[in-house]
Amino acid sequence: MDDEAREREDERSPRLHEPLDPEADEQPRLDPEVEARRVAAMSFVRRYGDPILKSRATPVDRFDDTLRRQVARMGGIMSDAFGVGLAAPQLGVSQRLLVYRVGQDAPVIALVNPEVEWSGDEEEAAEEGCLSIPGIQVDVERPVHVRVHARDEHGEDRLVEASGLEARVIQHEIDHLDGVLILDRTSREQRKEAIRTLRELEQAEEAA
């Protein structure tokens, strides 16, 4: 993406890595209580290298109180971790279930067994981060417009026609259900650089 196109993208919506990556350098200093909730929420999130993040999740076949409690739990963890989306495998649960919220005052939306019915021809590259790969941002190209069919936590049909940031978040989380990470979607150069950075971060954590 050239500089002019990138500027247009920044004007339209927040960059995806800002809500998805709570450990970005730009993150403002948090209130101690809020920071404690963020750290507690992040402790539930599986990190890069966990096998479940590379496995295809199992379809949901029971729409009961257990599922609805799981949706509520995921929404709470996502919010406390400053995420805009979260997939069940990121919490170690092999379910085709994701939650997302685009906009601070927007409701949390659950998509159960989501399937992309249609995606537009127009694609756009933008930086993405991931709660499961904190501290890393890479460029990922995705369709700008998608239509997704799913069910909600009560088993009712849900059809979402999304564009821009919402479409990107949904596609990012569906990737998690298929065992696909942002490192699988970026260039070889960015992937190598990201893995090098991850090793450096791990070494810094061990030394701390």
Side-chain angles (χ1 to χ4, degrees), residues 34-50:
V34 175
E35 170 66 10
R37 288 203 304 270
R38 184 193 71 83
V39 171
M42 288 297 295
S43 71
F44 292 108
V45 178
R46 300 295 179 94
R47 297 286 191 96
Y48 177 75
D50 192 304

Side-chain angles (χ1 to χ4, degrees), residues 4 14 36 56 60 74 84 90 100 115 125 143 181 193 203:
E4 184 178 351
R56 184 174 175 83
V60 174
M74 288 174 62
V84 294
Q90 291 181 274
Y100 75 94
E115 297 290 343
L181 300 174
E193 179 63 28
Q203 291 172 356

Side-chain angles (χ1 to χ4, degrees), residues 125-164:
E127 278 191 328
E128 293 186 22
C130 181
L131 291 176
S132 292
I133 319 177
I136 299 297
Q137 297 89 40
V138 295
D139 290 329
V140 179
E141 190 167 18
R142 298 190 189 274
V144 177
H145 309 284
V146 295
R147 181 170 63 241
V148 177
H149 178 261
R151 292 190 180 186
D152 65 14
E153 60 269 41
H154 301 283
E156 300 296 326
D157 282 341
R158 172 166 275 167
L159 186 66
V160 179
E161 295 187 353
S163 300

Side-chain angles (χ1 to χ4, degrees), residues 87-120:
Q90 291 181 274
L91 300 184
V93 180
S94 182
Q95 286 183 316
R96 296 192 71 78
L97 165 65
L98 66 88
V99 298
Y100 75 94
R101 177 172 59 196
V102 179
Q104 186 173 3
D105 298 324
V108 173
I109 296 174
L111 298 182
V112 185
N113 300 334
E115 297 290 343
V116 177
E117 288 190 341
W118 171 85
S119 58

